Amino acid sequence: MSSAAVSTLIREFFSSAEQKFAVVGASTNRSKFGNKVLRWYQEHGYVAVPVNPRETVIESAVCVPNLSSLPGNPAEYHVSIITPPTITKSVLEEAHKNGIKRVWMQPDADSSEALAYAKEAGITVLAGGPCVIENGLSKDEL
């Protein structure tokens, strides 16, 4: 994928300053990528809901166990996925079931099986290297 195509997908992922995000694989461990991604959204003023079935609160945000439990309408969220590749496809299946149309598979979360499923399900995916921490857009850049 060209850098121009990636830039377009990133701009579409951050469709507005009011866009809500879910962070699947969020962690209470501040050294883990799932925590760093969640904090990036928070530090840039976005609504970001951590998703982790084993936690109730991460970085002062109420955690939900799965995408179906997101507050309001799950279809209104864009999703960052920070899970092992073996779990990512099931996350995408739940995203599709809930009408979620955009996901960003953070580095090392993607697999050929997950990418094929996303394409089949009509989910727009950012994958293959870009990272929200380095490539995300602040509200000032929208």
Side-chain angles (χ1 to χ4, degrees):
M1 184 179 303
S2 73
S3 62
V6 170
S7 293
T8 297
L9 286 174
I10 290 170
R11 186 152 296 283
E12 291 170 353
F13 190 78
F14 291 96
S15 57
S16 77
E18 291 75 41
Q19 180 60 53
K20 296 183 283 190
F21 298 94
V23 180
V24 179
S27 171
T28 57
N29 183 335
R30 294 190 114 220
S31 69
K32 295 224 174 199
F33 199 54
N35 183 281
K36 292 177 183 182
V37 169
L38 176 63
R39 282 188 286 132
W40 184 92
Y41 285 112
Q42 292 173 330
E43 290 165 5
H44 288 83
Y46 291 107
V47 171
V49 178
V51 179
N52 184 322
R54 293 181 302 278
E55 303 295 341
T56 56
V57 175
I58 299 176
E59 294 298 324
S60 301
V62 173
C63 190
V64 296
N66 51 50
L67 294 173
S68 300
S69 301
L70 288 167
N73 180 0
E76 295 174 355
Y77 289 78
H78 292 177
V79 178
S80 275
I81 300 175
I82 308 100
T83 58
T86 54
I87 296 171
T88 301
K89 182 176 178 249
S90 64
V91 173
L92 291 171
E93 290 168 346
E94 186 183 13
H96 179 62
K97 179 182 89 172
N98 283 285
I100 294 168
K101 297 291 185 195
R102 291 192 181 281
V103 302
W104 191 333
M105 293 181 203
Q106 299 302 316
D108 299 326
D110 58 343
S111 69
S112 56
E113 181 184 27
L115 292 168
Y117 176 81
K119 184 176 181 180
E120 175 186 311
I123 298 171
T124 302
V125 173
L126 263 159
C131 167
V132 73
I133 294 170
E134 295 177 10
N135 304 103
L137 300 177
S138 69
K139 289 183 176 186
D140 295 344
E141 297 175 285
L142 301 179

